[in-house]
Amino acid sequence: DGSSPASSSAEPQSLSMGRVSSATTRMQNPLAQQHQVPVSPPDWLSVWEDPSLPVHIDIGCARGKMLLDLARKDKERGKEKGKGEERWNYLGIEIRAAAVDEANLVKQKEGLANVHFVATNFAVSADVLLSSLQKKQGCGPVRRVSILFPDPWLRSRHKKRRLVQPELARELCKLLPAGCALFVCSDRKELAEDMCEAIETGSEEARQDLGKGFVRRLLREQGGDPLEGTQRGDSEVCGAERRTGGVSGETGHECRERKWWGPDPLGMGIESERSLVCQMRHLDVWRALFDLVGEPTC
């Protein structure tokens, strides 16, 4: 997540990993001088116990709660013989160094060997991180990238600070392998639409120059409750939640927009902290999925 929502007495304590300091939540200007130096890539073969597993990268992971929960889930799954479900390695990227320090501390305390966090401005470090990861012999491919609730930067003069720009989308097209899924969302429709437009613009440029680009994954129309099964990431389910007074705030509306998805569209079984809070507060969340189509880079 980008900015963390304010805590509420009505929200379960499980959504918090302890005291939240301003250093882990305050928006950081990505154009500031201190955020223009690319990070040195870690030793990919040592940060994960089994580096051959497919990789999920969460850009703007904040304190890493979603990835930590996914890592815990995979750790427990690994103890169950015959489960047969795919396991992953997780990489969290966050511009706030204090948040990364906190997440890596939790990882170390719990002995989670399939998750790692890096403090950097991803827009500056994307090339060095993804290139080194893709070229490292023995590392699994990047199969999922998520950008969830990035810092909104609402003022017009600050829009250039937003993470998802056409230039970044083009860079992802160049550096990621074909077949990689990109999941973006925001609780502000204008920001979600701006991200999608940037991804589509950058992808069009990449298709012309590189022969590959992101293609938006749409939903098939269906009868009945349009949101039935969204918690399972059902690919046939329609997506933008509505405040309708239901128990979850996600039922009772007509399926009008086939481009927005419901909760957990990738079927991970875990959602971000911000997404859960939005569900409890019956707030709309605008989720979009893209697939990288073209020749693989590795």
Side-chain angles (χ1 to χ4, degrees):
D1 297 69
S3 55
S4 298
S7 61
S8 167
S9 59
E11 295 159 9
Q13 293 183 354
S14 61
L15 293 184
S16 174
M17 295 196 307
R19 183 176 179 180
V20 180
S21 69
S22 60
T24 64
T25 59
R26 184 185 302 116
M27 289 198 300
Q28 298 286 314
N29 178 6
L31 303 181
Q33 187 62 38
Q34 66 266 31
H35 295 311
Q36 302 311 302
V37 181
V39 70
S40 297
D43 180 0
W44 300 112
L45 297 181
S46 66
V47 297
W48 297 308
E49 183 177 58
D50 182 358
S52 68
L53 296 175
V55 180
H56 175 169
I57 301 177
D58 188 31
I59 305 171
C61 66
R63 295 175 294 148
K65 183 183 183 302
M66 183 184 76
L67 294 190
L68 289 168
D69 284 345
L70 285 167
R72 294 182 188 109
K73 181 180 178 181
D74 280 9
K75 182 179 180 180
E76 290 303 312
R77 181 184 300 159
K79 298 177 182 178
E80 302 177 19
K81 295 182 179 180
K83 191 71 174 177
E85 295 183 46
E86 188 172 35
R87 296 175 60 217
W88 294 73
N89 283 327
Y90 302 101
L91 176 64
I93 309 293
E94 173 56 49
I95 198 171
R96 304 166 183 83
V100 169
D101 291 342
E102 182 178 324
N104 276 324
L105 181 60
V106 174
K107 159 198 164 179
Q108 294 166 8
K109 285 184 176 180
E110 298 187 18
L112 299 173
N114 59 336
V115 63
H116 185 65
F117 299 92
V118 174
T120 188
N121 177 0
F122 184 76
V124 172
S125 297
D127 193 348
V128 65
L129 286 176
L130 294 180
S131 294
S132 65
L133 178 57
Q134 300 283 31
K135 294 176 182 177
K136 191 68 174 181
Q137 189 71 25
C139 283
V142 179
R143 295 252 303 273
R144 291 194 309 224
V145 174
S146 54
I147 305 176
L148 311 180
F149 304 96
D151 291 336
W153 297 108
L154 296 176
R155 294 182 180 179
S156 296
R157 68 177 184 272
H158 289 163
K159 286 187 177 181
K160 60 186 178 181
R161 299 181 182 179
R162 290 179 176 178
L163 171 62
V164 182
Q165 304 284 347
E167 296 78 12
L168 179 65
R170 189 181 187 284
E171 194 81 347
L172 291 176
C173 291
K174 179 181 76 171
L175 297 169
L176 293 172
C180 181
L182 174 61
F183 170 30
V184 300
C185 77
S186 177
D187 52 1
R188 296 178 180 274
K189 188 176 183 182
E190 180 269 335
L191 178 55
E193 291 176 332
D194 183 73
M195 285 194 290
C196 292
E197 181 179 350
I199 293 167
E200 289 166 349
T201 299
S203 294
E204 182 59 32
E205 296 173 358
R207 269 188 288 273
Q208 296 176 7
D209 298 338
L210 307 171
K212 62 175 181 173
F214 285 106
V215 176
R216 192 159 183 177
R217 193 188 305 181
L218 300 179
L219 299 150
R220 296 192 295 272
E221 294 180 356
Q222 67 172 37
D225 184 351
L227 285 176
E228 182 182 0
T230 51
Q231 296 290 354
R232 300 189 302 273
D234 189 332
S235 63
E236 295 187 6
V237 172
C238 183
E241 298 108 302
R242 302 294 186 192
R243 294 183 287 266
T244 58
V247 175
S248 65
E250 298 173 358
T251 60
H253 73 281
E254 295 180 5
C255 185
R256 295 191 181 93
E257 295 190 77
R258 298 171 61 245
K259 58 186 180 179
W260 301 112
W261 290 72
D264 192 17
L266 294 175
M268 298 184 295
I270 299 290
E271 293 191 66
S272 72
E273 184 175 10
R274 182 64 173 263
S275 181
L276 293 173
V277 170
C278 287
Q279 288 181 49
M280 287 186 295
R281 294 179 176 176
H282 306 297
L283 299 176
D284 294 346
V285 175
W286 308 94
R287 301 175 178 88
L289 290 180
F290 294 84
D291 296 295
L292 186 55
V293 177
E295 294 298 321
T297 59
C298 63

